[in-house]
Amino acid sequence: MQSSSASLSYDYSVAKLFTYTMVIFGIIGMLVGVLLAFQMAWPAFNLTGILGDYGEFVAFGRLRPLHTNGIIYGFMLSGIWAAWYYISQRVLKISFNEYPFLKALGYIHFWLYVLILALAVVTLFAGLTQNKEYIELIWPIDLLIVVLWVVWGLHMWGAIGVRREKSLYISLWYFIATFLAIAMLYITNNLQIPTIVSGYGSIFNSVSMYSGTNDGLIQWWWGHNAVAFVFTSAVIALVYYFMPKEAGAPVYSYKLSLYSFWSLMFVYLWAGGHHLIYSTVPDWMQTMGSVFSVVLILPSWGTAINFLLTLRGQWHQVTTNPIIKMLILASVFYMFSTLEGPIQSIKSVNALAHFTDWIVGHVHDGVLGWVCFSVMAATYHMVPRMYGRKLYSAKLIDIQFWIQTTGIVLYFTSMWIAGITQGLMWRAVDDYGNLLYSFISTVEALHPYYIIRGVGGALYFVGFLIFVWNVIKSITSGDKVEKEPVAATPISAN
Amino acid sequence: MFHWLEKHPFFFAVFLFLTIAFAGLVEIIPGFAQASRPIVGLEPYTILQLAGKNVYLKENCNACHSQLIRPFKSETDRYGHFSLSGEFAYDRPFTWGSKRTGPDLARVGNYRTTDWHEGHMKDPQGVVNGSIMPPYPWLFNKIADIDTAYAEALTVKLVFNTPYSPDQLPDNDLASAKRIALTEARAIVDNMKDPAVKAAYERGEVSEIVALIAYLNSRQ
């Protein structure tokens, strides 16, 4: 075991490529999201009046999976993989320059990913879908995705195999968890039979191996855990690396990270059942989903507290380092979101919240506040080191931070009010026990909140464009960094 | 033990995988066989209804409409009897949805007519004032994919023993299957006004909207 990491020149070629797709799909995914928000406020934004029969390509139903897939798998996974190709060399004390095999795998990984993204966009626009949430892509693309995952796995285990650092750093635990859990869940939920086996019809059509209640069960066992192992465990991997690096301080507690990790891994899958409360799955399963969702607060908060306490003695950096500020906000939103989720999983609350916009609000405070802020902070940390240039402007980060934070607050407050209003109106009865409202009056009541949500989403998108501008300017015209600084990110004076 | 695992990635991964997989095994396996049993009298989807279901899935109707009536008085008053597991035995994939931007459709066949659906898909706001649903004009001009619906019915019969009778589903006889679907579509087309739909039917084709309405009518 040698520990001469200082002499290693890291290879960032693949990390840079994934950074580009992260930016591109961030823009596409969020732009579509803003359009969807305004479609719900004003249905004229479906543009059917103008486009007529071609309106199918921009109708809400078609665009919605483009938004979710674009954000989860286009934007988020790109961010995770950019970070993987950056972090893994550093915590394993290797350089991909030393191993052409790993470098080649990285390129294969990237280009296969780009191919899949392109196919995904085309097929979703065309309405080719197996129609299960967050796993819409048709079976031929699913097979490519399995190959893609195997390629990433080969890269991961190859890199771990040749490591100089004997012990696996915390971030790697979470990367391995993402790899294993998604592989298991994705394949299980995707077991399909292409109907072309009958010799007739479209080659792209398939039927699920599971029917009805079982299909619902498998779907939400997966669906919740796309959140768990893409939006959570992989993002924790990022923050466990970038928070201490950026702060110049060690992780607060190794033990806390250990307990949080193993308990999160054990508890998370149970919680999938909370999507099925009051459905036709057995009652004990619904209760399990509910109880374990509440238990989930412990590992989630353990992790977040570990992040925040890493800053002990470093809190003054909040005023000087906007990246630290973003990471703190992300951690706080993680705590907030992992408290909100369990509350929604309590049966009586779920009876009110399920099927309403409160759920949409919950997803978005997690995704906008925790996931996207973490990825942007990670990018701000990586860019100066990957390109050897200072960040273009600290002031822009600050402006972006406040615009986006305002956007998130508008988003979740409006969706809370909308969801709870809707839930209460659905169940409201008059003195004789008759339903008080027609369904359409519950829709009309939400109009103002949909407008506020659209504005909030648009603000967040504007902030993201500022982020993109700042990254591009940093890459092209930031001041050169002579030597990589140990802790804080190099930021230009302007 | 954990320090040791962190130095042995292979065993780390095995131990981790078991930890993650445990919940799935406990939750999924016990009730699996029972939950797939159909309720008494449940018929598999006809070819026309399957074609309509595929339109429903393609346009992602379940992004805004649920098909799961929860056992609350407010829901059964609004939509009808609460949902039973066995009602979904032939639903591949399931169509419960996760959001109600519009009302539940699990029993929409009991209280909406073909005529209502036709007007609603053309101009939702004209039928339901204040609706935020977009119109779906292309469903009136596109032709439903009966071939694929036939393929799907054959596949589920072959692989999952879905109980189709020979007069519902002729084996290896696409032409007969199409005739059956056309006969079924007749009643719906007769109740519709759209000239393009009627013209397509005269040519021996079924418009997407007709298949979709056949599917929606089957929800009861």
Side-chain angles (χ1 to χ4, degrees), chain A residues 234-383:
Chain A
V235 182
I236 293 174
L238 267 55
V239 180
Y240 259 126
Y241 181 82
F242 293 112
M243 181 74 105
K245 272 284 174 188
E246 194 65 33
V251 172
Y252 171 66
S253 163
Y254 167 76
K255 269 190 184 159
L256 190 53
S257 62
L258 192 69
Y259 295 148
S260 312
F261 175 78
W262 287 102
S263 48
L264 190 78
M265 293 303 121
F266 181 71
V267 175
Y268 228 132
L269 273 270
W270 296 96
H274 69 216
H275 289 256
L276 301 166
I277 295 174
Y278 294 115
S279 77
T280 65
V281 305
D283 205 48
W284 67 269
M285 234 178 261
Q286 301 178 22
T287 306
M288 287 290 225
S290 186
V291 170
F292 275 100
S293 299
V294 176
V295 174
L296 200 47
I297 296 174
L298 290 170
S300 307
W301 279 52
T303 304
I305 288 168
N306 212 7
F307 291 157
L308 292 175
L309 288 182
T310 297
L311 288 168
R312 74 204 179 288
Q314 300 296 329
W315 284 97
H316 57 277
Q317 290 196 36
V318 177
T319 53
T320 53
N321 186 343
I323 300 174
I324 292 272
K325 195 155 71 178
M326 291 179 98
L327 286 168
I328 290 170
L329 189 88
S331 305
V332 171
F333 264 102
Y334 183 50
M335 294 178 84
F336 168 64
S337 204
T338 52
L339 181 63
E340 187 188 15
I343 289 172
Q344 292 178 331
S345 304
I346 297 166
K347 278 193 169 183
S348 53
V349 181
N350 189 274
L352 180 80
H354 192 58
F355 289 137
T356 73
D357 281 297
W358 187 8
I359 309 295
V360 179
H362 167 57
V363 173
H364 282 84
D365 53 51
V367 170
L368 300 173
W370 154 245
V371 176
C372 189
F373 263 60
S374 300
V375 170
M376 292 188 300
T379 309
Y380 277 139
H381 180 94
M382 291 190 290
V383 160

Side-chain angles (χ1 to χ4, degrees), chain A residues 53 56 131 133 213 254 426, chain B residues 6 57 62 85 98 141-142:
Chain A
D53 278 8
E56 64 171 307
N131 199 293
E133 271 179 271
T213 299
Y254 167 76
W426 285 345
Chain B
E6 285 154 34
L57 297 175
N62 49 323
S85 182
S98 58
N141 299 321
K142 289 187 152 191

Side-chain angles (χ1 to χ4, degrees), chain B residues 9-220:
Chain B
F10 174 77
F11 294 102
F12 179 90
V14 171
F15 192 64
L16 177 58
F17 186 77
L18 295 176
T19 308
I20 297 171
F22 181 68
L25 294 174
V26 174
E27 284 199 336
I28 289 167
I29 292 172
F32 216 69
Q34 203 190 352
S36 55
R37 285 216 300 260
I39 55 167
V40 174
L42 185 72
E43 293 273 326
Y45 292 108
T46 65
I47 294 166
L48 184 66
Q49 288 165 356
L50 268 184
K53 186 171 198 264
N54 285 341
V55 174
Y56 187 90
L57 297 175
K58 176 175 69 134
E59 301 303 347
N60 207 3
C61 303
N62 49 323
C64 295
H65 295 278
S66 58
Q67 285 193 33
L68 179 80
I69 302 168
R70 296 179 293 170
F72 309 141
K73 187 168 182 305
S74 59
E75 300 222 346
T76 52
D77 279 3
R78 204 183 289 277
Y79 304 116
H81 195 285
F82 60 83
S83 297
L84 303 169
S85 182
E87 291 179 88
F88 305 110
Y90 304 130
D91 281 16
R92 297 173 190 270
F94 79 121
T95 47
W96 294 349
S98 58
K99 171 82 202 301
R100 264 183 207 152
T101 302
D104 189 273
L105 301 179
R107 307 199 188 284
V108 69
N110 293 341
Y111 52 89
R112 296 292 186 215
T113 61
T114 293
D115 185 51
W116 188 91
H117 283 307
E118 178 179 19
H120 186 239
M121 297 291 180
K122 268 199 173 148
D123 179 16
Q125 285 75 31
V127 176
V128 182
N129 195 19
S131 167
I132 57 172
M133 185 171 124
Y136 287 84
W138 58 90
L139 299 182
F140 292 81
N141 299 321
K142 289 187 152 191
I143 300 304
D145 188 352
I146 301 289
D147 292 23
T148 298
Y150 176 62
E152 194 168 318
L154 274 184
T155 305
V156 295
K157 184 186 172 191
L158 189 77
V159 182
F160 304 111
N161 275 323
T162 304
Y164 281 103
S165 63
D167 56 325
Q168 285 173 313
L169 185 69
D171 273 344
N172 289 316
D173 186 0
L174 181 59
S176 301
K178 278 189 168 159
R179 263 198 306 280
I180 294 169
L182 268 173
T183 313
E184 190 188 340
R186 167 109 246 163
I188 295 168
V189 175
D190 282 349
N191 277 319
M192 291 179 66
K193 300 182 193 75
D194 190 87
V197 170
K198 287 189 184 287
Y201 190 80
E202 293 310 318
R203 293 195 306 272
E205 293 176 320
V206 181
S207 308
E208 284 192 340
I209 185 72
V210 176
L212 178 63
I213 290 173
Y215 169 67
L216 290 173
N217 286 344
S218 79
R219 316 305 301 145
Q220 48 188 270

